[in-house]
Amino acid sequence: MRTMAIVRRVFKQMLRDKRTLALMFLAPLLIMTLMYFLFQNNTTQVASLGVHHVDQSVVNVIDTKNVTIHHYDSSQARKMIKQHDLDGYLTQKNGQLTITYSNSNPTNTSLIKASLQSGLVKLKMKTLVTVTKKQRAALESQQAALKKLTAAQTQATVTKLKTAIAQAQARGDQATAEKLQKQLKQATATTSSSTQSAKATSYTTKSHYIYGSSDSTFFESFLAAFLGFFIFFFVFLISGVSLLNERTTGTLSRLLATPIRRSEIIMGYLIGYGGFAIIQTVLTVVFTITVFKIHLVGSIWLVFLTNLLLALVALTLGIFISTFTNSEFQMMQFIPLIVVPQIFFAGLVPVDGMASWLQAIAHIMPLYYGANAMTDVVTKGAGLGDIGVNLLILVGFMVVLTMLNIVGMKRYRKV
């Protein structure tokens, strides 16, 4: 009976909390729907490859649905890759093919490698088949000519031997006649002729990498995005729960009863929690670079700056979301709705290959801009000017959320 009483109490409490019920039952459905559209997208990922003075036969076999070919007049691979944002650049000198990979996206590097290798194999097989057909035709022609020549030579030899035998018999030289008859039987000698066969063009390849090396892994390419995600996630969670505790314990009400303005309270929270966010950012970045041996092409200070802005956006977002919750349990339930979708649009799934409406959703996700900036700095050595737009958008998110927090604080002031 006591157990059933507790069960009834739990059910009543849950049924009264409509927000919790909605998050519990609808959030998984929304996340699963989003994942369905993300991973069921039929758009094929395409890598861009620049070529310079490469045989058309080679270009034809590697120009597939996964690789787009662009022709250029310059042989400076590194310059052309950076200038046109290419995934690779292929040049040729005689039979030597030199491929330079950007390697900022190992997936696209693998696509070019697979297309180039399979294309060269197909080209070699096709050339060998053509050469074999030519050799066969030449051999048949030579055999026919040889057969005619042999027949003519044999006929002449037989005629000559028959004449010599008749002359020997007329002289009564039986020994000479018998000897010539043996030679007549052996008159089947043939002459051989040399043949000239076509030779298949043989290509050799040499590879270079602008970023990373041939040992670069997919984890390294996504590590920058994961780094930003984890900083974003934990700052969001801690800031939201902390402000929620301030409300439930009455601390926030007492602050609002003082002459302190709402903007001062919000700025105080931002500066206070922001200090811990800075420490967390520094520890996480230093740990990632030193322990995982991440190959950092750009400036580490830009990595710190990008992650710090992400942490501040997460801080303001966590405070904002906490105004809609009444318990830590409800705060946790906002994670799959607010935080989890961020990782899908941070480069884990190529945004360019998504449906247009999914790309629109990506552009309202703070982590989308943070991950782009991080990836460009870490893998491409981007400078402040290259990622400036992404950083300004993050600052815009932070300003807007801060203003919303100041407005939202009004609902808690009692006096």
Side-chain angles (χ1 to χ4, degrees), residues 14-28:
M14 291 295 293
L15 291 174
R16 284 196 300 265
D17 193 347
K18 300 297 189 297
R19 185 180 302 167
T20 297
L21 290 176
L23 289 172
M24 179 179 293
F25 296 134
L26 296 181

Side-chain angles (χ1 to χ4, degrees), residues 307-380:
N307 280 285
L308 178 59
L309 289 177
L310 267 178
L312 293 176
V313 172
L315 177 60
T316 54
L317 182 60
I319 293 175
F320 177 69
I321 294 298
S322 69
T323 61
F324 299 97
T325 61
N326 296 319
S327 64
E328 294 181 0
F329 181 58
Q330 288 183 353
M331 187 65 193
M332 296 291 291
Q333 289 174 334
F334 271 101
I335 291 176
L337 287 175
I338 304 298
V339 180
V340 172
Q342 302 272 345
I343 191 62
F344 296 133
F345 300 102
L348 186 63
V349 180
V351 176
D352 293 339
M354 296 180 183
S356 57
W357 65 275
L358 285 173
Q359 294 186 31
I361 294 177
H363 285 80
I364 61 173
M365 299 289 180
L367 193 58
Y368 168 77
Y369 300 98
N372 281 345
M374 281 280 294
T375 302
D376 288 345
V377 172
V378 173
T379 63
K380 298 182 180 180

Side-chain angles (χ1 to χ4, degrees), residues 186-411:
Q186 297 174 354
T188 56
T190 59
T191 60
S192 61
S193 61
S194 60
T195 61
Q196 184 177 4
S197 61
K199 184 178 180 182
T201 303
S202 178
Y203 294 99
T204 57
T205 59
K206 183 166 58 175
S207 302
H208 301 286
Y209 297 85
I210 296 182
Y211 311 117
S213 65
S214 58
D215 297 326
S216 298
T217 63
F218 291 96
F219 178 75
E220 291 180 2
S221 64
F222 294 127
L223 188 57
F226 285 134
L227 174 61
F229 171 75
F230 285 117
I231 290 176
F232 187 92
F233 171 72
F234 285 106
V235 172
F236 170 84
L237 182 62
I238 293 172
S239 61
V241 172
S242 299
L243 184 61
L244 183 62
N245 288 333
E246 294 277 286
R247 284 170 40 206
T248 55
T249 57
T251 303
L252 183 59
S253 298
R254 290 192 292 271
L255 281 174
L256 291 170
T258 65
I260 300 178
R261 291 181 295 182
R262 289 172 293 164
S263 58
E264 294 175 337
I265 294 176
I266 292 298
M267 293 306 298
Y269 281 128
L270 291 178
I271 295 173
Y273 292 125
F276 289 97
I278 293 174
I279 297 174
Q280 183 204 36
T281 301
V282 172
L283 288 176
T284 306
V285 172
V286 171
F287 178 84
T288 302
I289 293 177
T290 56
V291 175
F292 296 131
K293 306 295 183 182
I294 182 174
H295 183 71
L296 179 61
V297 179
S299 170
I300 189 173
W301 299 110
L302 289 180
V303 174
F304 283 128
L305 177 60
T306 305
N307 280 285
L308 178 59
L309 289 177
L310 267 178
L312 293 176
V313 172
L315 177 60
T316 54
L317 182 60
I319 293 175
F320 177 69
I321 294 298
S322 69
T323 61
F324 299 97
T325 61
N326 296 319
S327 64
E328 294 181 0
F329 181 58
Q330 288 183 353
M331 187 65 193
M332 296 291 291
Q333 289 174 334
F334 271 101
I335 291 176
L337 287 175
I338 304 298
V339 180
V340 172
Q342 302 272 345
I343 191 62
F344 296 133
F345 300 102
L348 186 63
V349 180
V351 176
D352 293 339
M354 296 180 183
S356 57
W357 65 275
L358 285 173
Q359 294 186 31
I361 294 177
H363 285 80
I364 61 173
M365 299 289 180
L367 193 58
Y368 168 77
Y369 300 98
N372 281 345
M374 281 280 294
T375 302
D376 288 345
V377 172
V378 173
T379 63
K380 298 182 180 180
L384 182 60
D386 300 316
I387 64 172
V389 174
N390 290 321
L391 298 185
L392 287 175
I393 293 175
L394 290 178
V395 172
F397 273 111
M398 183 179 64
V399 171
V400 171
L401 288 171
T402 300
M403 294 175 63
L404 290 175
N405 283 326
I406 293 173
V407 174
M409 190 64 66
K410 184 178 181 180
R411 62 184 293 192

Side-chain angles (χ1 to χ4, degrees), residues 144-160:
L146 181 61
K147 186 176 181 180
K148 291 180 180 180
L149 179 61
T150 301
Q153 290 179 341
T154 302
Q155 184 63 34
T157 302
V158 169
T159 302
K160 184 177 180 181

